[in-house]
Amino acid sequence: VTELSDLVLEPAEMAELVETLGAIGEQLGGGLVRPVYSSAWALAREQLASWMGAAGLDVREDAVGNLFGRLRGAADARTILTGSHIDTVKLGGKFDGALGVLSALAAVRALAQRVGPPRRSVEVVALCEEEGSRFAASFWGTRGMLGLIDPAELDALRDEDGLTIGEAMAATGFEPDRLAEAVRTDLDAFLELHIEQGRILFDEGVQLGIVETITGIISQLVTVDGQTDHAGTTPMDVRHDALQGAAEMALAITRLAEAEGRPLVATMGKWDVQPGAWNIVPGRVRFWLDIRHPDEATKQRFAETARGQCREIARRRGLRVGSEVLQDVPPMDMDARLKRALAAAADRHGFSHKPMVSGAGHDSQVLARRVPTAMLFVPSVEGRSHSAAEYTTPEDAARGATTLATALHSLAY
Ligand code: HGY
Ligand code: MN
Ligand code: MN
């Protein structure tokens, strides 16, 4: 019989895993750069594969670069999958994605070594790409598993050096034309542990979050075209300054979001100003607009209103404006049975928990389209994330991994 203590993971073990993996891709000034199909990404996967192998799991990678460690069950055919993404944002932290992969590894390793073979197979996954930080791919690994990658993306998605995602795959040993082989139809459940990336659990002193709904995200690339002119000789009233127009649009969108109120958020974190000379009136400005809301209709309505404001400002300033939708994922509810399994697991250890909405996007919101899915949050100190300041204490990480191990045990044995 399984003792509850068999399912307990210790803080020291989690800290060791996080620091070892977190060193791969870490920059001298702090922060991680570990985009998909990069050398740091390949090294991180090698480290994970070696841990998985040492734990006695069957190690496999698929056509897009997702890495799996399988604990084979007596009834082997179907799979309970658990994990998260291994890629990071530019100068990200050591926990976003990684802690979900490492908690899955630690949990399944504990089950393998302390409990023995499960009835139903359990698999750890390091999803190859979630962040869209190198290519505007977003959820590339998950979309590969669900057959949601359009082959046209292989030649269309380019990184800042102009390399296509297909070329980057080939350069890392993956064959783009074997994409379809990544599709899986054997998944019965997906559990993703993730840092909260907000500060609700931290502020309220609650130990775990059980996600009800993951917010919807629409990302658009807004292009404003005006006219380059001499900065010194062109009077303000005759300019067609793309930057002034784009700046007015950014302010208008911000005011719209403030008027809409929580939980809507709008962010314009990435800008490109051309030709980018201090003494030339900018002719073309592009900004990436990220809009999120847990209600689909509200999300779409806000995006449309924002587009209308941009058109109005462009007209008034004699500019042209266009927007291209880069990703548009709907909000997604998590699976009731799996949420109950997570809550019951937390209760068995006396860990406090609360239901939450995720303001961050996650692979789970895509996998949930085809597979019953649930997410477990652990606290982020001061809610910091997408930053080198991202931190989760070893004690909180251990509670998360222990809860995951306990929930997996209730599902697979
Ligand atoms: O942007 C997000 O919410 C996620 O970290 N990709
Ligand atoms: Mn992230
Ligand atoms: Mn993440």
Side-chain angles (χ1 to χ4, degrees):
V1 74
T2 306
E3 298 298 326
L4 200 55
S5 58
D6 290 338
L7 305 173
V8 172
L9 279 307
E10 296 299 335
E13 175 179 356
M14 298 314 296
E16 165 75 18
L17 289 169
V18 166
E19 291 312 316
T20 306
L21 193 69
I24 304 175
E26 188 171 28
Q27 304 301 295
L28 287 177
L32 272 68
V33 175
R34 200 165 64 204
V36 69
Y37 305 131
S38 64
S39 52
W41 173 88
L43 280 173
R45 289 166 77 263
E46 280 171 29
Q47 173 62 73
L48 282 166
S50 115
W51 278 328
M52 289 172 175
L57 306 181
D58 298 338
V59 183
R60 178 180 71 85
E61 63 184 17
D62 69 10
V64 290
N66 294 318
L67 179 71
F68 303 93
R70 186 178 185 84
L71 175 58
R72 197 180 295 280
D76 179 40
R78 310 281 307 165
T79 304
I80 294 167
L81 189 68
T82 180
S84 190
H85 60 93
I86 188 66
D87 66 310
T88 71
V89 291
K90 196 187 316 181
L91 297 180
K94 298 180 177 180
F95 297 83
D96 178 357
L99 190 63
V101 179
L102 294 170
S103 300
L105 169 73
V108 174
R109 179 164 69 184
L111 293 173
Q113 291 174 343
R114 303 174 197 169
V115 182
R119 193 166 40 81
R120 305 171 68 198
S121 297
V122 182
E123 218 165 89
V124 179
V125 62
L127 293 161
C128 67
E129 192 280 346
E130 183 270 345
E131 296 284 5
S133 57
R134 179 178 176 187
F135 305 96
S138 293
F139 312 116
W140 185 253
T142 293
R143 292 196 291 124
M145 285 197 297
L146 299 186
L148 295 176
I149 291 178
D150 175 349
E153 294 181 70
L154 288 166
D155 298 328
L157 296 177
R158 288 181 185 278
D159 66 8
E160 287 177 343
D161 301 329
L163 204 69
T164 67
I165 195 164
E167 289 162 344
M169 284 176 74
T172 328
F174 299 97
E175 297 173 56
D177 53 14
R178 297 181 62 176
L179 207 56
E181 293 175 27
V183 176
R184 298 191 64 162
T185 56
D186 63 322
L187 301 178
D188 279 346
F190 179 57
L191 289 180
E192 179 173 14
L193 182 145
H194 204 286
I195 54 173
E196 180 197 337
Q197 301 182 294
R199 56 180 303 156
I200 293 169
L201 295 175
F202 176 77
D203 286 342
E204 297 180 8
V206 176
Q207 292 173 326
L208 296 164
I210 295 176
V211 176
E212 294 287 303
T213 302
I214 301 173
T215 192
I217 306 178
I218 180 165
S219 308
Q220 299 174 73
L221 170 55
V222 179
T223 302
V224 182
D225 282 311
Q227 178 178 297
T228 52
D229 272 315
H230 194 295
T233 58
T234 314
M236 294 306 279
D237 58 309
V238 299
R239 294 179 175 208
H240 299 288
D241 183 334
L243 193 279
Q244 296 299 334
E248 196 176 334
M249 291 171 196
L251 271 178
I253 292 166
T254 302
R255 290 206 180 99
L256 270 175
E258 288 163 350
E260 176 71 31
R262 292 184 179 196
L264 184 116
V265 286
T267 313
M268 292 149 271
K270 181 178 178 182
W271 288 74
D272 176 70
V273 179
Q274 294 302 331
W278 50 274
N279 57 359
I280 305 176
V281 174
R284 161 168 282 202
V285 172
R286 297 183 301 157
F287 61 90
W288 281 254
L289 172 58
D290 173 303
I291 295 167
R292 306 188 186 199
H293 198 283
D295 174 73
E296 180 62 12
T298 309
K299 184 194 85 179
Q300 295 297 350
R301 171 176 54 75
F302 185 91
E304 187 42 47
T305 309
R307 272 195 289 269
Q309 293 248 346
C310 291
R311 282 194 296 271
E312 163 57 28
I313 291 165
R315 196 187 49 69
R316 191 159 26 79
R317 286 178 167 273
L319 303 169
R320 288 184 313 290
V321 68
S323 71
E324 175 197 351
V325 174
L326 299 177
Q327 69 165 326
D328 186 352
V329 285
M332 191 57 76
D333 291 338
M334 298 290 96
D335 177 78
R337 183 176 70 91
L338 294 180
K339 285 189 297 183
R340 282 196 301 274
L342 289 172
D347 291 340
R348 279 186 69 188
H349 295 277
F351 299 151
S352 60
H353 56 87
K354 67 175 289 179
M356 301 180 70
V357 170
S358 173
H362 297 289
D363 289 294
S364 288
Q365 77 191 102
V366 179
L367 257 155
R369 297 183 197 173
R370 300 280 174 73
V371 180
T373 295
M375 286 196 81
L376 181 67
F377 275 175
V378 293
S380 293
V381 172
E382 294 180 356
R384 300 298 306 280
S385 182
H386 281 190
S387 142
E390 187 176 275
Y391 186 66
T392 293
T393 68
E395 294 71 22
D396 280 335
R399 276 188 280 271
T402 296
T403 303
L404 184 63
T406 307
L408 288 169
H409 181 266
S410 72
L411 295 168
Y413 284 79

